[in-house]
Structures are given as structure tokens and as C-alpha cells.
């Protein structure tokens, strides 16, 4: 009984430790709305990605990520944000609605060697703590991004 | 004959002088793509503004204009850019196409007292010199913006 409690306690500690490490590796990208706007796109009903990414999305890049868009090589510390909002259509116009999810890519070859050198996270709606990817980056994100290997695993290109 | 030539020459000089003054008051907003992205919208066929503004547009603000969005008072030197791109729709997605026009508002109560304290200009496509507004700001721009007097003549609001 004592031993089982000890194992349980250790497990809890290990899980808590892993969560803290993941959080430090993939922090909420504070201030990203002041970063450079890269490009935008609207994904509508009927699109194969509508379930996951339906709405209007904007990509924002920190200065290291902008270096990556320019040179094709994303350096350590590059962060790209995928800001997905609802896109209500009415009266022949599409406007921006509530935030659905904030996807983030963090470049660190060493930390994220299993997923192309990128860490992936997604913050639900306007939450800075509710995470939708966590330990599932390989299946939830990298599975698709691996198709972009020739572009450093990045789908977007800077629109001048 | 000589007198007519002189008048013509003077007219040319006057027009050239006015163009230079206008150009200095309303310069091309170099570097605006690094300014803060304010919000975006898509205007589709059937919308009453489709003829003028059909496509996807993004608003960008310099730091003084951001102060205006925050406080409701746009200070001298505030510049807002309306970046209008074609918005081709295909396969249930709307993407960004070629630039149609770059609209710009410049705040200077003194210089632009006739149009709510804002100067207005529009640069055609990717040109930094081909101007679509020129001396016609009152009719081409301010006529509609005057409806926004309570918001400092600005239609857009910052989307967090």
C-alpha cells in the first residue's frame, strides 16, 4: 500500500514535471499582435481542413522567424503564430469573429528534434493556458507539416 | 503668343508645385508592412462597396495611429494604411492575390483642416508614385469618412 502510494506520487510528480517542461518550451507568445503580419487566408465550408481550421487566419512572425522567411533557414528562437478567428459571412462581406485557436510553432532543433526542429502548441480561444496539442505534436501537427520539409516544415510564405 | 506660353509655363509650374506639396504631405508609407496589423475584412461581389473595395483588405497602423485606436484621439503624425488585395476564391478557400490599391490616411489637423484633419491618398497597385486621389480627397474619401466623425473619421477599430 505504501509502495503503491509512493509510485502514484512519483507518477504525479513526473507528469507535473513534464507539463512544466513543455510549458517552458512552448510558452504563450506574449505580444505576438505586435509582430509582423505575414499573410492571411479564409478557409470555408467544404474545404478539407474546415473542421480544424475553418475561419480566417493570420500568420504573425517574430524577427527570427522573419529571418527564416527571407533566408529559408529558420534560426533557433523563431516563432510563428497562426491566429485563427471565426469568419462570419453576411451581406456580401466576411468579417473577423471570435478567436478559435492560436497555433504556435517554436524553432529549436535540439529540443524538438523529433518534430523537424519545431515545437507545436495551440492555445484554445483567448486562453493563455488551455493547450490543445500538449504531448501530441507529432500526430496533431507534424504529420501534416512533414510534407513541407523542403520549406523547413513551414506552409506559409511572406506576402510583401 | 509669348504671353500664352508664359501663362502655360506658369500653370505647369503651379501644377508641379502643388503635386510636390501634396506628395510631401502624403508620402508613400514606406515600411508599413512592419507596422501593426489592426484588422482585416473581405468584401465580396454584391456588396455596395465592391466596385471600390472588393477583395481582402488589411489595416496597418503606425505607433501614433495605434495611440489613436487606444485613446480615441489620433495625434498628429498618425498614419493608417488600407492595404487592398485581390481575393481569389477557389476550392472553398479565399487567398490573397495582387495588390489593387494602397489607401493611406495621414493625421494633421492644420494641413488637412478641410477634411477632418486627415489627408487621404491612394497608391495604385504596387506603385509608390501613381496616385488615385490627389486633390480629390474631399469627394473621393472624406464624403464617406465624415459619417465616422464621432470616431475621429476612422472606420476601423483595433481587433485584439
Amino acid at each position: 500500500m505504501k509502495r503503491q502510494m509512493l509510485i502514484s506520487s512519483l507518477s504525479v510528480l513526473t507528469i507535473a514535471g513534464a507539463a512544466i517542461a513543455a510549458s517552458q518550451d512552448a510558452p504563450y507568445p506574449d505580444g505576438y499582435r505586435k509582430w509582423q503580419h505575414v499573410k492571411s487566408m479564409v478557409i470555408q465550408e467544404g474545404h478539407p481542413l474546415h473542421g480544424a481550421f475553418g475561419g480566417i487566419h493570420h500568420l504573425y512572425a517574430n524577427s527570427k522567424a522573419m529571418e527564416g522567411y527571407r533566408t529559408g533557414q529558420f534560426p533557433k528562437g523563431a516563432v510563428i503564430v497562426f491566429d485563427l478567428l471565426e469568419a462570419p459571412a453576411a451581406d456580401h462581406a466576411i468579417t473577423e469573429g471570435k478567436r478559435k485557436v492560436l497555433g504556435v510553432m517554436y524553432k529549436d532543433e535540439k529540443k524538438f528534434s523529433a518534430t523537424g526542429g519545431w515545437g507545436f502548441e495551440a492555445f484554445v480561444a483567448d486562453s493563455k493556458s488551455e493547450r490543445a496539442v500538449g504531448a501530441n505534436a507529432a500526430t496533431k501537427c507534424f504529420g501534416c507539416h512533414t510534407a513541407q520539409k523542403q520549406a523547413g516544415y513551414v506552409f506559409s510564405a511572406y506576402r510583401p
Side-chain angles (χ1 to χ4, degrees), chain A residues 80-154:
Chain A
I80 299 172
V81 168
F82 176 94
D83 196 0
L84 178 64
L85 311 167
E86 288 177 8
D91 302 332
H92 310 288
I94 297 171
T95 52
E96 295 173 321
K98 288 182 183 173
R99 181 162 287 108
K100 294 176 75 177
V101 73
L102 195 76
V104 194
M105 288 175 70
Y106 311 83
K107 189 70 186 282
D108 190 323
E109 294 282 358
K110 205 170 162 184
K111 275 184 189 162
F112 306 115
S113 57
T115 47
W118 288 100
F120 296 85
E121 190 48 273
F123 296 88
V124 178
D126 290 312
S127 174
K128 294 187 175 189
S129 58
E130 192 183 341
R131 289 157 179 265
V133 173
N136 302 310
T139 51
K140 284 198 171 181
C141 307
F142 192 59
C144 283
H145 279 266
T146 191
Q148 289 295 104
K149 188 177 179 180
Q150 87 295 345
Y153 302 104
V154 172

Coordinates of all heavy atoms in Angstrom, one line a residue, chain A residues 80-154:
Chain A
I80 N 6.4 31.3 -35.0 CA 5.4 31.7 -36.0 C 4.0 31.4 -35.3 O 3.8 30.4 -34.7 CB 5.5 30.8 -37.2 CG1 6.8 31.0 -37.9 CG2 4.3 31.1 -38.2 CD1 7.0 30.1 -39.1
V81 N 3.1 32.4 -35.4 CA 1.8 32.3 -34.8 C 0.7 32.2 -35.9 O 0.8 32.9 -36.9 CB 1.5 33.5 -33.9 CG1 0.0 33.5 -33.5 CG2 2.4 33.5 -32.6
F82 N -0.2 31.2 -35.7 CA -1.3 31.0 -36.6 C -2.6 31.4 -35.8 O -3.0 30.7 -34.9 CB -1.3 29.5 -37.0 CG -2.5 29.1 -37.8 CD1 -2.4 29.1 -39.2 CD2 -3.7 28.7 -37.3 CE1 -3.4 28.6 -40.0 CE2 -4.7 28.2 -38.1 CZ -4.6 28.2 -39.4
D83 N -3.1 32.6 -36.1 CA -4.2 33.2 -35.3 C -5.5 33.0 -36.0 O -5.8 33.6 -37.0 CB -3.9 34.7 -35.2 CG -4.7 35.4 -34.1 OD1 -5.5 34.7 -33.4 OD2 -4.5 36.6 -33.9
L84 N -6.3 32.0 -35.5 CA -7.5 31.6 -36.2 C -8.7 32.2 -35.6 O -9.0 32.0 -34.4 CB -7.6 30.1 -36.3 CG -8.8 29.5 -36.9 CD1 -8.9 29.9 -38.4 CD2 -8.9 28.0 -36.8
L85 N -9.5 32.9 -36.4 CA -10.7 33.6 -35.9 C -11.9 33.1 -36.6 O -11.8 32.6 -37.8 CB -10.6 35.1 -36.1 CG -9.4 35.8 -35.7 CD1 -9.3 37.2 -36.3 CD2 -9.3 35.9 -34.2
E86 N -13.1 33.1 -36.0 CA -14.3 32.8 -36.8 C -14.4 33.9 -37.9 O -13.9 35.0 -37.7 CB -15.5 32.9 -35.8 CG -15.6 31.7 -34.9 CD -16.7 31.8 -33.9 OE1 -17.6 32.7 -34.0 OE2 -16.8 30.9 -33.0
A87 N -15.1 33.5 -39.0 CA -15.2 34.4 -40.1 C -16.7 34.5 -40.6 O -17.0 34.0 -41.6 CB -14.3 34.0 -41.2
P88 N -17.5 35.2 -39.8 CA -18.9 35.3 -40.2 C -19.1 36.0 -41.5 O -18.5 37.0 -41.7 CB -19.6 36.1 -39.0 CG -18.4 36.7 -38.3 CD -17.2 35.9 -38.5
A89 N -19.9 35.4 -42.4 CA -20.2 36.0 -43.7 C -21.6 36.5 -43.7 O -22.6 35.8 -43.3 CB -20.0 34.9 -44.8
A90 N -21.8 37.8 -44.0 CA -23.1 38.4 -44.1 C -23.1 39.6 -45.0 O -22.1 40.3 -45.0 CB -23.6 38.8 -42.7
D91 N -24.2 39.8 -45.7 CA -24.3 41.0 -46.6 C -23.1 41.1 -47.5 O -22.5 42.2 -47.7 CB -24.5 42.2 -45.7 CG -25.7 42.2 -44.9 OD1 -26.7 41.4 -45.2 OD2 -25.7 42.8 -43.8
H92 N -22.6 40.0 -48.1 CA -21.5 40.0 -49.1 C -20.2 40.5 -48.5 O -19.4 41.1 -49.2 CB -21.9 40.9 -50.3 CG -23.3 40.5 -50.9 ND1 -23.5 39.3 -51.6 CD2 -24.5 41.1 -50.8 CE1 -24.7 39.3 -51.9 NE2 -25.4 40.3 -51.5
A93 N -20.0 40.3 -47.2 CA -18.7 40.6 -46.6 C -18.4 39.5 -45.6 O -19.3 38.9 -45.0 CB -18.8 41.9 -45.9
I94 N -17.1 39.3 -45.4 CA -16.6 38.4 -44.4 C -15.8 39.2 -43.4 O -14.9 39.9 -43.7 CB -15.7 37.3 -45.0 CG1 -16.5 36.4 -46.0 CG2 -15.1 36.4 -43.9 CD1 -15.7 35.5 -46.8
T95 N -16.2 39.1 -42.1 CA -15.6 39.9 -41.1 C -14.9 38.9 -40.1 O -14.9 37.7 -40.2 CB -16.6 40.7 -40.3 OG1 -17.7 39.9 -39.9 CG2 -17.1 41.8 -41.2
E96 N -14.2 39.5 -39.1 CA -13.5 38.7 -38.1 C -14.4 38.5 -36.9 O -14.9 39.5 -36.4 CB -12.2 39.4 -37.7 CG -11.2 39.5 -38.9 CD -10.0 40.3 -38.6 OE1 -10.1 41.4 -37.9 OE2 -8.9 40.0 -39.0
G97 N -14.5 37.3 -36.5 CA -15.3 37.0 -35.3 C -14.3 36.6 -34.1 O -13.2 37.0 -34.0
K98 N -14.9 35.8 -33.2 CA -14.1 35.4 -32.0 C -12.9 34.5 -32.4 O -12.9 33.8 -33.4 CB -15.0 34.5 -31.1 CG -16.1 35.3 -30.4 CD -16.9 34.4 -29.5 CE -18.0 35.2 -28.8 NZ -18.9 34.3 -28.0
R99 N -11.9 34.6 -31.6 CA -10.7 33.7 -31.7 C -11.1 32.3 -31.5 O -11.7 31.9 -30.5 CB -9.6 34.2 -30.8 CG -8.3 33.4 -30.9 CD -7.1 34.1 -30.3 NE -6.7 35.3 -31.2 CZ -7.0 36.6 -30.9 NH1 -7.5 36.9 -29.7 NH2 -6.6 37.5 -31.7
K100 N -10.7 31.4 -32.4 CA -11.0 29.9 -32.2 C -9.8 29.3 -31.6 O -9.9 28.5 -30.6 CB -11.3 29.3 -33.6 CG -12.6 29.8 -34.2 CD -12.8 29.2 -35.6 CE -13.2 27.7 -35.5 NZ -13.5 27.2 -36.9
V101 N -8.6 29.5 -32.1 CA -7.4 28.9 -31.6 C -6.2 29.7 -32.0 O -6.2 30.4 -33.0 CB -7.3 27.4 -32.0 CG1 -6.9 27.3 -33.5 CG2 -6.3 26.6 -31.2
L102 N -5.2 29.6 -31.2 CA -3.9 30.3 -31.5 C -2.8 29.2 -31.6 O -2.4 28.7 -30.6 CB -3.5 31.3 -30.4 CG -2.4 32.3 -30.7 CD1 -3.0 33.4 -31.6 CD2 -1.9 32.9 -29.5
G103 N -2.5 28.9 -32.9 CA -1.4 27.9 -33.1 C -0.1 28.5 -33.1 O 0.1 29.7 -33.5
V104 N 0.9 27.8 -32.5 CA 2.3 28.4 -32.4 C 3.3 27.3 -32.8 O 3.2 26.2 -32.4 CB 2.6 28.9 -31.0 CG1 3.8 29.8 -30.9 CG2 1.4 29.6 -30.4
M105 N 4.3 27.8 -33.5 CA 5.5 26.9 -33.9 C 6.7 27.6 -33.3 O 6.9 28.8 -33.5 CB 5.7 26.8 -35.4 CG 4.6 26.0 -36.1 SD 4.8 26.0 -37.9 CE 6.3 25.1 -38.1
Y106 N 7.6 26.8 -32.6 CA 8.8 27.3 -31.9 C 10.0 26.5 -32.5 O 10.0 25.3 -32.4 CB 8.7 27.0 -30.4 CG 7.5 27.4 -29.7 CD1 6.3 26.6 -29.7 CD2 7.4 28.6 -29.0 CE1 5.2 26.9 -29.1 CE2 6.2 28.9 -28.3 CZ 5.1 28.1 -28.4 OH 4.0 28.4 -27.7
K107 N 10.9 27.3 -33.0 CA 12.1 26.6 -33.6 C 13.2 26.3 -32.6 O 13.7 27.3 -31.9 CB 12.7 27.4 -34.8 CG 13.7 26.6 -35.6 CD 13.1 25.5 -36.4 CE 14.2 24.6 -37.1 NZ 14.7 25.3 -38.3
D108 N 13.5 25.1 -32.4 CA 14.7 24.7 -31.5 C 15.1 23.3 -31.9 O 14.4 22.3 -31.5 CB 14.3 24.8 -30.1 CG 15.5 24.6 -29.2 OD1 16.4 23.8 -29.5 OD2 15.6 25.3 -28.1
E109 N 16.1 23.2 -32.8 CA 16.5 21.9 -33.3 C 16.7 20.8 -32.3 O 16.4 19.7 -32.4 CB 17.8 22.0 -34.1 CG 17.7 22.9 -35.4 CD 17.0 22.1 -36.6 OE1 16.7 21.0 -36.4 OE2 16.8 22.8 -37.6
K110 N 17.3 21.3 -31.1 CA 17.7 20.3 -30.1 C 16.4 19.9 -29.3 O 16.2 18.7 -29.2 CB 18.7 21.0 -29.2 CG 19.6 20.1 -28.4 CD 20.7 20.9 -27.7 CE 21.3 20.1 -26.6 NZ 22.3 20.9 -25.9
K111 N 15.7 20.8 -28.8 CA 14.5 20.5 -28.0 C 13.5 19.7 -28.8 O 12.8 18.8 -28.2 CB 13.9 21.7 -27.5 CG 14.5 22.3 -26.2 CD 13.7 23.5 -25.7 CE 14.4 24.2 -24.6 NZ 13.9 25.6 -24.4
F112 N 13.3 20.0 -30.0 CA 12.2 19.5 -30.8 C 12.7 18.6 -32.0 O 12.1 18.6 -33.1 CB 11.3 20.6 -31.3 CG 10.8 21.5 -30.2 CD1 11.1 22.8 -30.2 CD2 9.9 21.0 -29.2 CE1 10.7 23.7 -29.2 CE2 9.5 21.9 -28.2 CZ 9.9 23.2 -28.2
S113 N 13.8 17.9 -31.7 CA 14.4 17.1 -32.8 C 13.4 16.1 -33.4 O 13.5 15.7 -34.6 CB 15.7 16.5 -32.3 OG 15.4 15.6 -31.2
A114 N 12.5 15.6 -32.6 CA 11.6 14.6 -33.1 C 10.5 15.1 -34.1 O 9.9 14.3 -34.8 CB 10.8 13.9 -31.9
T115 N 10.4 16.4 -34.1 CA 9.3 17.0 -35.0 C 9.9 18.1 -35.9 O 9.4 19.2 -35.9 CB 8.1 17.6 -34.2 OG1 8.7 18.3 -33.1 CG2 7.3 16.4 -33.6
G116 N 11.0 17.7 -36.5 CA 11.6 18.7 -37.5 C 12.2 19.9 -37.0 O 12.5 20.9 -37.7
G117 N 12.5 19.9 -35.7 CA 13.2 21.0 -35.0 C 12.2 22.1 -34.6 O 12.5 23.2 -34.2
W118 N 10.9 21.8 -34.8 CA 9.8 22.7 -34.4 C 9.0 22.1 -33.2 O 8.6 21.0 -33.3 CB 8.9 23.0 -35.5 CG 9.4 23.8 -36.6 CD1 9.9 23.4 -37.8 CD2 9.5 25.3 -36.7 NE1 10.2 24.5 -38.6 CE2 10.0 25.6 -37.9 CE3 9.1 26.3 -35.8 CZ2 10.2 27.0 -38.3 CZ3 9.3 27.6 -36.2 CH2 9.9 27.9 -37.4
G119 N 8.7 23.0 -32.2 CA 7.7 22.6 -31.2 C 6.4 23.2 -31.7 O 6.4 24.2 -32.4
F120 N 5.3 22.5 -31.4 CA 4.0 22.9 -31.8 C 3.1 23.0 -30.6 O 3.1 22.1 -29.7 CB 3.4 21.9 -32.7 CG 4.1 21.8 -34.1 CD1 5.2 20.9 -34.2 CD2 3.7 22.5 -35.2 CE1 5.9 20.7 -35.4 CE2 4.4 22.3 -36.4 CZ 5.4 21.4 -36.5
E121 N 2.3 24.1 -30.5 CA 1.3 24.1 -29.4 C 0.1 24.9 -30.0 O 0.2 25.6 -31.0 CB 1.8 24.8 -28.2 CG 1.0 24.8 -26.9 CD 0.4 23.4 -26.6 OE1 -0.7 23.0 -27.2 OE2 1.0 22.6 -25.8
A122 N -1.0 24.8 -29.3 CA -2.2 25.5 -29.7 C -3.0 25.9 -28.5 O -3.2 25.1 -27.6 CB -3.1 24.7 -30.6
F123 N -3.3 27.2 -28.3 CA -4.0 27.7 -27.2 C -5.5 28.0 -27.6 O -5.7 28.6 -28.6 CB -3.3 29.0 -26.7 CG -1.9 28.8 -26.2 CD1 -0.9 28.9 -27.1 CD2 -1.7 28.5 -24.9 CE1 0.4 28.7 -26.7 CE2 -0.4 28.3 -24.4 CZ 0.7 28.4 -25.3
V124 N -6.3 27.4 -26.8 CA -7.8 27.4 -27.1 C -8.4 28.9 -26.9 O -8.2 29.5 -25.9 CB -8.5 26.4 -26.2 CG1 -10.0 26.5 -26.5 CG2 -8.0 25.0 -26.4
A125 N -9.0 29.3 -28.0 CA -9.7 30.6 -27.9 C -8.7 31.7 -27.4 O -7.6 31.9 -28.0 CB -11.0 30.6 -27.1
D126 N -9.1 32.4 -26.4 CA -8.3 33.5 -25.9 C -7.5 33.1 -24.6 O -6.8 33.9 -24.0 CB -9.1 34.7 -25.5 CG -9.6 35.4 -26.8 OD1 -8.8 35.6 -27.7 OD2 -10.8 35.7 -26.8
S127 N -7.5 31.8 -24.3 CA -6.8 31.3 -23.2 C -5.3 31.3 -23.4 O -4.8 31.0 -24.5 CB -7.2 29.8 -22.8 OG -6.4 29.3 -21.8
K128 N -4.5 31.6 -22.3 CA -3.1 31.6 -22.4 C -2.5 30.3 -21.8 O -1.3 30.1 -21.7 CB -2.4 32.8 -21.7 CG -2.8 34.1 -22.4 CD -2.0 35.3 -21.8 CE -2.2 36.5 -22.6 NZ -1.3 37.6 -22.2
S129 N -3.5 29.5 -21.3 CA -3.0 28.2 -20.6 C -3.7 27.0 -21.1 O -3.1 25.9 -20.9 CB -3.3 28.4 -19.1 OG -4.6 28.7 -18.8
E130 N -4.8 27.1 -21.6 CA -5.5 25.8 -22.1 C -4.9 25.4 -23.4 O -5.1 26.1 -24.4 CB -7.0 26.1 -22.3 CG -7.9 24.8 -22.4 CD -9.3 25.1 -22.7 OE1 -9.8 26.2 -22.4 OE2 -10.0 24.2 -23.2
R131 N -4.3 24.2 -23.4 CA -3.5 23.8 -24.5 C -4.2 22.6 -25.3 O -4.7 21.7 -24.6 CB -2.1 23.3 -24.0 CG -1.2 24.5 -23.6 CD -0.2 24.1 -22.6 NE 0.7 25.2 -22.2 CZ 1.8 25.6 -22.8 NH1 2.3 24.8 -23.8 NH2 2.5 26.6 -22.4
A132 N -4.2 22.7 -26.6 CA -4.9 21.7 -27.4 C -4.0 20.7 -28.0 O -4.4 19.7 -28.6 CB -5.7 22.4 -28.5
V133 N -2.6 20.9 -27.9 CA -1.7 20.0 -28.5 C -0.9 19.2 -27.5 O -1.0 17.9 -27.4 CB -0.7 20.7 -29.5 CG1 0.4 19.7 -30.0 CG2 -1.5 21.3 -30.6
G134 N -0.3 19.9 -26.6 CA 0.5 19.2 -25.5 C 1.5 18.2 -26.0 O 2.3 18.6 -26.9
A135 N 1.4 16.9 -25.6 CA 2.4 15.9 -26.0 C 2.1 15.3 -27.4 O 2.7 14.4 -27.8 CB 2.4 14.8 -24.9
N136 N 1.0 15.8 -28.0 CA 0.6 15.2 -29.3 C 1.0 15.9 -30.5 O 0.4 15.8 -31.6 CB -0.9 15.0 -29.3 CG -1.4 14.2 -28.1 OD1 -0.9 13.1 -27.8 ND2 -2.4 14.7 -27.3
A137 N 2.1 16.6 -30.5 CA 2.6 17.4 -31.6 C 2.9 16.6 -32.8 O 2.6 16.9 -34.0 CB 3.8 18.2 -31.3
A138 N 3.4 15.4 -32.6 CA 3.8 14.5 -33.7 C 2.6 14.2 -34.6 O 2.6 14.2 -35.8 CB 4.5 13.3 -33.2
T139 N 1.5 13.8 -33.9 CA 0.3 13.4 -34.7 C -0.6 14.6 -35.0 O -1.2 14.6 -36.1 CB -0.5 12.4 -33.9 OG1 -0.7 12.9 -32.6 CG2 0.2 11.0 -33.7
K140 N -0.7 15.5 -34.1 CA -1.7 16.6 -34.3 C -1.1 17.7 -35.3 O -1.9 18.4 -35.9 CB -2.1 17.2 -33.0 CG -3.1 16.4 -32.2 CD -3.8 17.3 -31.1 CE -4.9 16.5 -30.5 NZ -5.6 17.3 -29.5
C141 N 0.2 17.8 -35.4 CA 0.7 18.9 -36.2 C 1.7 18.4 -37.2 O 1.6 18.7 -38.4 CB 1.4 19.9 -35.3 SG 0.3 20.5 -33.9
F142 N 2.8 17.7 -36.7 CA 3.9 17.4 -37.6 C 3.5 16.4 -38.7 O 4.1 16.5 -39.8 CB 5.0 16.8 -36.8 CG 6.3 16.7 -37.5 CD1 6.9 17.9 -38.0 CD2 7.0 15.5 -37.7 CE1 8.1 17.8 -38.7 CE2 8.2 15.4 -38.4 CZ 8.7 16.5 -38.9
G143 N 2.5 15.6 -38.5 CA 2.0 14.7 -39.5 C 1.8 15.5 -40.9 O 2.1 15.0 -41.9
C144 N 1.1 16.6 -40.8 CA 0.9 17.4 -42.0 C 2.1 18.3 -42.4 O 2.5 18.4 -43.5 CB -0.3 18.4 -41.8 SG -1.9 17.5 -41.9
H145 N 2.8 18.9 -41.4 CA 3.9 19.8 -41.7 C 5.1 19.0 -42.3 O 5.9 19.7 -43.0 CB 4.4 20.5 -40.4 CG 3.5 21.7 -40.1 ND1 3.8 23.0 -40.5 CD2 2.3 21.8 -39.4 CE1 2.9 23.8 -40.0 NE2 1.9 23.1 -39.4
T146 N 5.2 17.7 -42.1 CA 6.3 17.0 -42.7 C 6.3 17.1 -44.2 O 7.4 17.0 -44.8 CB 6.3 15.5 -42.2 OG1 7.5 14.9 -42.5 CG2 5.1 14.7 -42.8
A147 N 5.1 17.3 -44.8 CA 5.0 17.4 -46.2 C 5.8 18.7 -46.7 O 6.1 18.8 -47.9 CB 3.6 17.5 -46.7
Q148 N 6.1 19.6 -45.8 CA 6.7 20.9 -46.2 C 8.2 20.8 -45.8 O 8.8 21.9 -45.6 CB 6.1 22.0 -45.5 CG 4.7 22.4 -46.0 CD 4.7 22.9 -47.4 OE1 4.4 22.2 -48.4 NE2 5.2 24.1 -47.6
K149 N 8.8 19.6 -45.8 CA 10.2 19.5 -45.3 C 11.1 20.4 -46.2 O 12.0 21.1 -45.6 CB 10.6 18.0 -45.5 CG 12.0 17.8 -44.9 CD 12.4 16.3 -45.0 CE 13.8 16.1 -44.4 NZ 14.2 14.7 -44.5
Q150 N 10.9 20.5 -47.5 CA 11.7 21.3 -48.3 C 11.7 22.8 -48.0 O 12.5 23.6 -48.4 CB 11.4 21.1 -49.8 CG 10.3 21.9 -50.4 CD 8.9 21.7 -49.8 OE1 8.7 20.7 -49.1 NE2 8.0 22.6 -50.0
A151 N 10.6 23.2 -47.3 CA 10.5 24.6 -46.9 C 10.7 24.8 -45.4 O 10.1 25.7 -44.8 CB 9.1 25.1 -47.3
G152 N 11.4 23.9 -44.8 CA 11.7 24.0 -43.4 C 10.5 23.6 -42.5 O 10.4 24.1 -41.4
Y153 N 9.6 22.9 -43.1 CA 8.3 22.4 -42.4 C 7.3 23.5 -42.2 O 6.4 23.4 -41.4 CB 8.6 21.7 -41.1 CG 9.6 20.5 -41.2 CD1 10.9 20.6 -40.9 CD2 9.1 19.3 -41.7 CE1 11.8 19.6 -41.0 CE2 9.9 18.2 -41.9 CZ 11.3 18.4 -41.5 OH 12.1 17.3 -41.7
V154 N 7.5 24.6 -43.0 CA 6.6 25.8 -42.8 C 5.7 25.9 -44.1 O 6.2 25.8 -45.2 CB 7.4 27.1 -42.7 CG1 6.5 28.3 -42.7 CG2 8.2 27.0 -41.3

